[in-house]
Amino acid sequence: MIDFENNPAIGQSWEEVEKELFTPEEIAASDLRVALIGELIKARNERGISQKKLEEMSGVKQPVIARMERGITSPQLDTVLKVLNSLGKTLAVVPLEQNGAK
């Protein structure tokens, strides 16, 4: 059986590469963006709303919503707020977890 964890031919794990390429702050910001967009997608799917319907509800063009959901673009805060508001959601500023916070 191949030992993927310790096989030099396989290379490094993404976590190892990520730590070499990015600062902890950049990793935390990326993780936050991924979590936020994940919640946005989840809320849209839970309500059974298509991207096109969300465009009609929020005024944010469907291609912009698609790019946000795919992580291709970093949307402006007002764009995110328009979409979230249309889904009955908002953002909240809360303290980071102290144990295990990145």
Side-chain angles (χ1 to χ4, degrees):
M1 180 169 212
I2 298 174
D3 180 5
F4 289 104
E5 293 281 326
N6 299 309
N7 186 335
I10 301 297
Q12 297 176 307
S13 71
W14 168 246
E15 289 79 18
E16 292 168 330
V17 172
E18 183 180 49
K19 287 178 184 173
E20 289 179 16
L21 296 176
F22 303 103
T23 67
E25 293 79 15
E26 290 170 324
I27 294 169
S30 176
D31 290 346
L32 183 58
R33 277 191 302 276
V34 168
L36 175 63
I37 296 304
E39 288 298 318
L40 186 146
I41 294 168
K42 179 181 167 188
R44 183 176 65 75
N45 288 332
E46 285 175 348
R47 294 195 55 194
I49 298 171
S50 68
Q51 290 178 350
K52 189 66 179 169
K53 179 66 176 173
L54 188 54
E55 172 186 17
E56 295 168 13
M57 295 167 61
S58 67
V60 175
K61 297 291 184 188
Q62 182 274 327
V64 174
I65 294 168
R67 287 192 300 270
M68 274 180 15
E69 290 189 0
R70 287 194 316 260
I72 294 173
T73 186
S74 251
Q76 297 216 0
L77 181 59
D78 63 335
T79 302
V80 173
L81 292 173
K82 285 179 188 177
V83 171
L84 287 173
N85 185 57
S86 297
L87 294 169
K89 304 283 184 178
T90 191
L91 291 179
V93 177
V94 296
L96 294 173
E97 295 178 25
Q98 294 304 311
N99 297 329
K102 293 183 179 181

